Amino acid sequence: MASNLKYESQKLGTWYFTVAAILFGAQLLFGLIAATQFVVPGFLFETLDFSIARMVHINALVVWLLYAMIGSVYYILPEETGIETVGVGIGKLLFAILTLAVTVVVVVYIFIQVGPADESTIWLITEGREYIEAPRWADIGIVVVVLGFLANVYLTAIKGERTGIVTVLMADLLALAGLYLAGMFFTDNISMDQYWWWWVIHLWVEATWEVFVACLAGYGLIKTIGADRQIVEMWLWIEVAMLFGSGILGIGHHYFWIGTPEYWWEIGALFSALEPVPLIGMFVHVLYDWGKETGHAAAKGTKHTISNTPAFSWFVVNTFGNFIGAGIWGFMHTLPQINLYTHGTQWPAAHGHLAFYGAYATILIGMFYMGVQGANGIKELRATFASKMAISLITMGVVGMTIALTVSAYVQTMVERAQWGATWEGFFAAQESVWFMQGMNWRLAMGVVTFVGFIYLVKDLLSTGKNPKHVK
């Protein structure tokens, strides 16, 4: 598959993309199992309980996104710097180590599940920290792999040409890797533990990852529609400033109810409210470049050609999804006056589904198509029936799940919190509500739609090289 790629680094990138796609499928599968257990509580009881299915579902999401991010860097780095990635052989070894470690961790999650209530569980089975539940030995392995990855990136950037995209990536990846360390030490004070834990979760998702997406969006626009690099990188710096400016102190919206001082209410409310602003900037950025390039082509009497239609389609969905999922759905419940009622309901789940999909999955799937295009030596990658079905069904499924979860969350907010005052009786009254259960049923149905879309996506990615529709 990778014989048409010029650089070994890009071949390594496609390896990461392949594992990412497999983990994406695992995420969806375990999500369907967990969704089924909401509707049929006895499903796989004491074989694969909800707590385990949910853990694998969420951790598979985080890990496949990280695989796709690392693959994206290895793919774009030689094109941006003009040289082969330094230490690519070590990069391949680190890929094998990481993949073996991930495989062992998943097997332990599924087949061993729990351990004795002592230090051995933290080291060998799970640390129990939501979203980053890898055991301590895997934690250390991840740090080693990421340090090797960072060394490859920095040595390559120092030796080769350093574009604006590469410069931002260098700073962002250093912050991304450093923040992971905040989740590696243990404290028996739950408030303090949560305080540092959010440094990983929030400052990854709502700061460093968003900057990373902006870099990929810039690269993707240059490659797919021929956007002007100077304009793209100007927008990139503006977005970086806004993302870090709002995202860092926006962490305050996670400090409302964990025992931190009350001044976090004001800080979290203000800067969380500002977080959609840079997302609007990204939205305008993509549409501006698209319209500008199309206008230039029309002025010359020619038709503007998109070199990779499926990838560009996913980039466009990213701009809408990022703004709506991370921006609007996040703002819905970010103010403390509202969050008092929505915290711990299905509101965060609704926001999380659309935000992770809209902000990250979409643009990384676009990078899958960039990798497939390069690997098969395709000059112009066109949309196929399978690619259209994939983007339509996956998007429809995720939006459907988000709406269903929002309906269930509204029931919880009004019944459990407002009517019953957050009591146990209120919790069960909300869970037994017809509207709540209808939301859970629709969430499951839309999850099936998403999985069907994923099957179309895999089919299209695997058959791209044999499709005569594409221009080679």
Side-chain angles (χ1 to χ4, degrees):
M1 173 185 173
S3 59
N4 288 288
L5 292 170
K6 179 181 178 181
Y7 299 101
E8 288 297 315
S9 177
Q10 292 185 316
K11 296 178 184 178
L12 176 57
T14 62
W15 295 1
Y16 274 99
F17 290 157
T18 301
V19 176
I22 294 171
L23 290 171
F24 182 21
Q27 178 218 341
L28 296 179
L29 179 61
F30 280 89
L32 285 175
I33 292 173
T36 303
Q37 289 169 332
F38 252 100
V39 178
V40 186
F43 182 64
L44 294 180
F45 179 61
E46 295 187 335
T47 299
L48 186 70
D49 289 344
F50 174 80
S51 60
I52 304 300
R54 178 183 181 274
M55 180 172 70
V56 177
H57 171 59
I58 293 175
N59 280 263
L61 164 68
V62 174
V63 176
W64 91 252
L65 292 178
L66 288 174
Y67 260 86
M69 288 177 183
I70 295 173
S72 297
V73 173
Y74 275 125
Y75 192 84
I76 72 176
L77 194 59
E79 290 192 7
E80 289 291 302
T81 59
I83 61 171
E84 177 65 89
T85 298
V86 175
V88 69
I90 295 175
K92 292 179 178 179
L93 175 62
L94 293 175
F95 165 81
I97 293 172
L98 180 62
T99 304
L100 177 62
V102 168
T103 303
V104 172
V105 168
V106 171
V107 169
V108 170
Y109 281 172
I110 296 173
F111 293 103
I112 298 179
Q113 300 184 3
V114 296
D118 56 32
E119 195 79 9
S120 65
T121 300
I122 294 175
W123 276 95
L124 301 176
I125 299 176
T126 175
E127 288 190 353
R129 284 190 172 98
E130 199 174 20
Y131 309 140
I132 47 172
E133 287 149 314
R136 184 59 53 86
W137 71 265
D139 256 355
I140 296 170
I142 290 169
V143 170
V144 171
V145 169
V146 171
L147 286 176
F149 167 63
L150 278 177
N152 289 351
V153 172
Y154 270 73
L155 291 172
T156 306
I158 292 169
K159 185 178 179 181
E161 181 184 353
R162 194 152 63 247
T163 63
I165 291 174
V166 171
T167 303
V168 174
L169 272 177
M170 290 172 69
D172 187 58
L173 291 173
L174 185 63
L176 194 156
L179 287 167
Y180 188 77
L181 300 177
M184 288 188 64
F185 61 87
F186 174 77
T187 170
D188 56 8
N189 183 305
I190 188 65
S191 292
M192 192 178 297
D193 187 81
Q194 287 281 292
Y195 184 91
W196 293 111
W197 176 77
W198 280 116
W199 276 46
V200 185
I201 305 305
H202 173 93
L203 294 178
W204 263 12
V205 172
E206 296 176 62
T208 55
W209 283 20
E210 286 282 10
V211 171
F212 187 91
V213 165
C215 293
L216 292 188
Y219 170 84
L221 290 172
I222 292 169
K223 292 297 179 181
T224 57
I225 64 174
D228 183 86
R229 178 177 288 275
Q230 187 175 3
I231 294 175
V232 166
E233 292 186 348
M234 176 195 72
W235 271 102
L236 180 60
W237 285 110
I238 294 171
E239 288 160 12
V240 166
M242 290 195 297
L243 284 164
F244 276 135
S246 62
I248 291 174
L249 287 177
I251 196 173
H253 66 215
H254 298 295
Y255 289 169
F256 291 159
W257 324 118
I258 66 168
T260 47
E262 291 183 6
Y263 57 71
W264 281 109
W265 291 358
E266 287 76 19
I267 294 173
L270 173 62
F271 287 93
S272 294
L274 293 175
E275 283 187 32
V277 175
L279 306 183
I280 296 171
M282 297 179 73
F283 178 80
V284 173
H285 169 190
V286 173
L287 295 186
Y288 170 81
D289 278 321
W290 187 9
K292 181 177 69 67
E293 298 301 329
T294 303
H296 284 174
K300 296 176 184 178
T302 61
K303 184 179 179 181
H304 182 237
T305 302
I306 299 174
S307 65
N308 190 325
T309 302
F312 182 69
S313 300
W314 282 104
F315 295 155
V316 171
V317 173
N318 173 263
T319 64
F320 283 92
N322 202 349
F323 173 59
I324 297 171
I328 295 177
W329 245 263
F331 183 73
M332 278 183 185
H333 63 119
T334 197
L335 299 179
Q337 297 90 336
I338 300 172
N339 196 264
L340 177 65
Y341 295 93
T342 61
H343 185 74
T345 69
Q346 295 293 339
W347 277 104
H351 162 56
H353 277 75
L354 191 54
F356 270 99
Y357 173 70
Y360 306 117
T362 47
I363 202 160
L364 293 171
I365 293 172
M367 288 304 301
F368 289 174
Y369 275 102
M370 298 293 287
V372 165
Q373 181 182 26
N376 290 285
I378 297 172
K379 181 181 178 181
E380 186 179 332
L381 186 65
R382 296 171 177 169
T384 62
F385 175 77
S387 72
K388 293 175 184 176
M389 289 296 291
I391 195 170
S392 300
L393 290 176
I394 295 176
T395 303
M396 186 189 308
V398 174
V399 170
M401 284 191 287
T402 301
I403 294 171
L405 287 166
T406 303
V407 170
S408 293
Y410 186 80
V411 174
Q412 288 178 293
T413 302
M414 298 303 294
V415 175
E416 176 187 336
R417 299 298 170 82
Q419 183 178 349
W420 286 82
T423 60
W424 275 114
E425 292 89 347
F427 172 78
F428 288 109
Q431 296 285 313
E432 293 169 358
S433 166
V434 174
W435 279 24
F436 179 86
M437 286 310 303
Q438 284 180 345
M440 293 296 101
N441 284 321
W442 276 107
R443 190 263 298 269
L444 175 58
M446 291 296 102
V448 173
V449 171
T450 305
F451 193 78
V452 173
F454 170 75
I455 294 172
Y456 273 107
L457 174 66
V458 172
K459 176 181 181 296
D460 192 53
L461 290 171
L462 293 177
S463 62
T464 295
K466 304 173 184 176
N467 196 323
K469 185 175 184 178
H470 308 302
V471 180
K472 292 196 174 185

